[in-house]
Amino acid sequence: MAEDIFFLLFSKALSNLKVTAVEISEYLKNIYASHWCTFRDKDEKYPSSFVVADGSYQSTAFQGGVRVIYVRAIANRYEGNVLANYYPDVAVKLGFRLKRASLYMKALELKCLRRALNDCSDGSIAIHDGTIYPTISPKSLAGVTEQEVDAILEWLGSLYELYKFAMDHGHVLLGVVKDSHVNYLRSRILVRCIADVDYKLGEAISRERSLKNIASCLREALSASPNDALEEFLREAELMTSDEEVFEICTSEPGFTKPLLLAPQPLYLSEEVKAGTRNWRESRLRSRLESSSLLKPVSGVLDRIYSLPPILMFYWRPWHGYGVYRVDVASWVLNVGLRSDEMEGDRLIDDLDLVEKCRKIVSALNSLSPEPYAVKPLTDADELVRLRRSVYQESYEPVLIDYLRGEGLRAHPTKRARRETVLRGLK
């Protein structure tokens, strides 16, 4: 009955939808492909020692605004292709309108990874499911509560501790991102192309990472002086797509892109770009954090993170050719003699020695990726730790509610939650 009412309206709405297909010009396809290193080799044996980590969470909101978050994570340690041990952990958070659940999960994942590395020989591989490059939005810091700052500090503090331990013991720290929506590499390549056509314009936008801002600058330049090449770059900058999709389209062979060293993300905030901020220490964001008694600890932990070598990233297509994935690499294992807080912007790397070192990392990742998987041990960890909503509501939530009521909390689920439970029961 409901679908009889809504499906025709849905079809009509679709007919009014404006869709812009991802169409990359042959010229730019060739440019992107020139940054691709074809490579399908894999280590004959599994890495001698490696660990992987993943996490999951669920939450319950109660009448009155109280919320509880259940977070769990696990790190699995392998010796060759044999699971040698696993390192699970959980955290339960309770608070009024509790926020930033994903940060608590990330922090726990990083802590589990750090614990597992304690039992590994130096030089082992540690793989996190997701990025290991920290990003912070000024909007996420506006009007934050003390609880939210605690969540941010728990995440960043755990990240620093893992960074430092991995660096001190020569571990290869990686983050493998299944679905990445960023344009870090594409924007660098596009800025290079623009500079080849119009050097001054290229210089003016050299500090931009946002394709939206690059497109705005191109439109302004074109309004003053038409240029066919810049028109083509404008169309490219306006495409609703990501690095990942672009290299999925422009490449077919297994391999990886030339690497990109990532500068501290705050340098690419609009206010920093407009102000010409040279490095993290001189940034306006850092000054604001330092001037706030609540947020000053965030500045402190970012100072420690940015005192270490930067994160390097590349895109990787496994040896079997299925899918393109973003890979973050803690660059100290590549002997990058640079601190993050010295960087003024992202750097595209053409150095053959560094590319060769990336091949060794890709070879190890290929060895962990039987067809059709990309790093199958991460998939195994995900299956083990994933907390499905139905399981949470049937097994964990009743125990949680009983405990909270025993401690004197009313713990009545919200009306919306009760309604959804009833509706599920009617299906």
Side-chain angles (χ1 to χ4, degrees), residues 389-423:
R389 186 69 184 170
S390 59
V391 172
Y392 172 74
Q393 290 180 322
E394 292 170 9
S395 301
Y396 291 90
E397 195 173 56
V399 175
L400 178 62
I401 290 174
D402 285 346
Y403 175 81
L404 294 176
R405 287 175 177 170
E407 292 296 306
L409 193 71
R410 290 180 68 244
H412 293 304
T414 61
K415 297 180 183 69
R416 180 184 295 274
R418 291 206 303 269
R419 183 184 67 187
E420 290 176 353
T421 300
V422 171
L423 290 174

Side-chain angles (χ1 to χ4, degrees), residues 275-336:
T277 301
R278 295 177 60 84
N279 55 56
W280 160 249
R281 293 280 177 175
E282 298 175 7
S283 68
R284 275 132 181 86
L285 177 61
R286 184 177 183 276
S287 296
R288 286 205 308 277
L289 296 176
E290 284 285 304
S291 65
S292 166
S293 58
L294 179 62
L295 294 172
K296 188 172 183 178
V298 176
S299 174
V301 71
L302 286 173
D303 282 350
R304 292 193 292 277
I305 288 173
Y306 294 144
S307 70
L308 301 177
I311 296 298
L312 172 148
M313 62 156 281
F314 56 79
Y315 290 89
W316 159 63
R317 187 190 295 274
W319 66 273
H320 46 63
Y322 297 129
V324 171
Y325 301 83
R326 171 182 160 191
V327 179
D328 293 352
V329 185
S331 68
W332 53 78
V333 298
L334 305 173
N335 298 319
V336 173

Side-chain angles (χ1 to χ4, degrees), residues 173-322:
L173 179 59
L174 308 175
V176 176
V177 187
K178 296 188 185 80
D179 294 292
S180 177
H181 303 126
V182 302
N183 280 295
Y184 301 160
L185 183 53
R186 187 165 154 242
S187 64
R188 287 303 92 208
I189 295 172
L190 201 54
V191 167
R192 273 193 179 184
C193 291
I194 293 167
D196 287 342
V197 173
D198 186 328
Y199 180 77
K200 287 186 178 179
L201 179 58
E203 280 288 296
I205 62 172
S206 63
R207 303 184 65 83
E208 291 284 2
R209 183 190 269 176
S210 163
L211 285 178
K212 179 180 178 182
N213 291 344
I214 291 173
S216 178
C217 293
L218 283 168
R219 279 193 294 271
E220 184 178 341
L222 285 166
S223 67
S225 177
N227 182 294
D228 290 345
L230 294 184
E231 287 280 3
E232 186 172 351
F233 299 149
L234 174 60
R235 288 192 293 273
E236 173 66 16
E238 290 177 332
L239 285 180
M240 292 189 297
T241 186
S242 64
D243 285 349
E244 180 184 301
E245 186 177 28
V246 162
F247 285 102
E248 186 77 75
I249 293 170
C250 297
T251 66
S252 57
E253 293 295 315
F256 61 100
T257 62
K258 292 177 182 178
L260 179 71
L261 277 175
L262 297 175
Q265 173 262 345
L267 295 185
Y268 286 100
L269 299 174
S270 292
E271 67 168 331
E272 307 292 356
V273 173
K274 290 176 182 176
T277 301
R278 295 177 60 84
N279 55 56
W280 160 249
R281 293 280 177 175
E282 298 175 7
S283 68
R284 275 132 181 86
L285 177 61
R286 184 177 183 276
S287 296
R288 286 205 308 277
L289 296 176
E290 284 285 304
S291 65
S292 166
S293 58
L294 179 62
L295 294 172
K296 188 172 183 178
V298 176
S299 174
V301 71
L302 286 173
D303 282 350
R304 292 193 292 277
I305 288 173
Y306 294 144
S307 70
L308 301 177
I311 296 298
L312 172 148
M313 62 156 281
F314 56 79
Y315 290 89
W316 159 63
R317 187 190 295 274
W319 66 273
H320 46 63
Y322 297 129

Side-chain angles (χ1 to χ4, degrees), residues 329-401:
V329 185
S331 68
W332 53 78
V333 298
L334 305 173
N335 298 319
V336 173
L338 186 68
R339 290 165 47 129
S340 290
D341 57 16
E342 296 172 337
M343 296 186 68
E344 297 183 11
D346 297 345
R347 298 187 187 181
L348 264 171
I349 303 297
D350 295 311
D351 181 77
L352 293 179
D353 183 54
L354 194 55
V355 171
E356 187 60 36
K357 290 175 182 177
C358 289
R359 288 182 194 274
K360 295 179 181 179
I361 291 173
V362 170
S363 181
L365 291 174
N366 279 341
S367 73
L368 299 176
S369 304
E371 189 175 2
Y373 297 97
V375 192
K376 188 175 185 299
L378 278 180
T379 302
D380 296 338
D382 175 74
E383 291 178 355
L384 186 60
V385 79
R386 182 178 295 275
L387 181 57
R388 291 172 174 79
R389 186 69 184 170
S390 59
V391 172
Y392 172 74
Q393 290 180 322
E394 292 170 9
S395 301
Y396 291 90
E397 195 173 56
V399 175
L400 178 62
I401 290 174

